[in-house]
Amino acid sequence: PKGDVHRAMYFNREGLWKIIGVSIFALGCHSIIPDVYKSLGNYKEMKRVVLLAFLIPTAVYALFMVSFLIVFGRETPQIATQALASLYGSFGNIIGNLIPFFAITTSYIGIALAQLSNLQEFLKLPRNVAFVLTVVPPLIVYLLGIGDFVSVLGVAGDTGDLMAFIVLPIVIYITTKGGRS
């Protein structure tokens, strides 16, 4: 009842680069697929789970984004759920901060465990080296003062996933090819 479609009808090109980084970050969760397969042990079941794990959050996030833009328009904060406080007071504030907290925490834990496992399994790195490579880069981003949520995801998507999608496969290829010679 508080929505108006006209509030969502605007374009802000300054936010495009951040959206690209956030999107690349979200797509970077592919690193968890080997662990899903290992856990399920069935390729067809893994495909179904991965497809659903992609489609369901995409639909929920699209609905989420549209509903917040229709209600708040240009006034939608970076962490959109924090706007719930203006509608529902302290209860909205609590819920508005718990939703991103759980989303970020569970995503970070899942991706970190998958990354740790992949570094150990595929690159044959010792656990302590894999742990440092998994934990230190996000810590550096945090310590550099990149504090807002969207900027952190943008940095992670634009740089971290660039490393994971381009540099790491090249290193794996060179390592593998070098091992066969």
Side-chain angles (χ1 to χ4, degrees), residues 96-109:
N97 284 300
L98 282 178
I99 291 171
F101 172 76
F102 286 121
I104 294 166
T105 304
T106 55
S107 296
Y108 180 77
I109 290 170

Side-chain angles (χ1 to χ4, degrees), residues 21-180:
V22 171
S23 299
I24 292 171
F25 175 80
L27 293 172
C29 294
H30 75 280
S31 62
I32 206 163
I33 292 174
D35 287 343
V36 173
Y37 178 73
K38 226 181 347 178
S39 173
L40 295 173
N42 179 320
Y43 181 73
K44 281 189 176 187
E45 182 67 12
M46 187 232 21
K47 277 182 21 180
R48 189 179 74 77
V49 166
V50 169
L51 182 63
L52 288 174
F54 174 77
L55 292 176
I56 293 169
T58 299
V60 169
Y61 282 137
L63 182 62
F64 172 86
M65 179 185 70
V66 168
S67 60
F68 272 83
L69 284 174
I70 286 173
V71 173
F72 298 103
R74 290 184 185 271
E75 305 303 314
T76 304
Q78 267 190 4
I79 301 176
T81 55
Q82 290 178 344
L84 293 174
S86 67
L87 296 176
Y88 303 108
S90 60
F91 178 72
N93 188 38
I94 292 169
I95 298 300
N97 284 300
L98 282 178
I99 291 171
F101 172 76
F102 286 121
I104 294 166
T105 304
T106 55
S107 296
Y108 180 77
I109 290 170
I111 292 170
L113 290 173
Q115 184 66 22
L116 180 68
S117 170
N118 290 340
L119 289 172
Q120 285 182 273
E121 207 170 307
F122 299 112
L123 294 181
K124 307 292 186 223
L125 294 176
R127 184 166 177 81
N128 58 345
V129 173
F131 181 82
V132 168
L133 288 173
T134 301
V135 172
V136 171
L139 184 60
I140 289 171
V141 168
Y142 174 76
L143 293 174
L144 286 174
I146 303 173
D148 70 80
F149 178 67
V150 174
S151 294
V152 169
L153 291 185
V155 168
D158 295 336
T159 58
D161 286 337
L162 174 71
M163 296 287 287
F165 297 158
I166 296 173
V167 175
L168 188 58
I170 291 171
V171 169
I172 290 171
Y173 174 76
I174 291 169
T175 304
T176 305
K177 187 174 173 114
R180 286 188 222 162

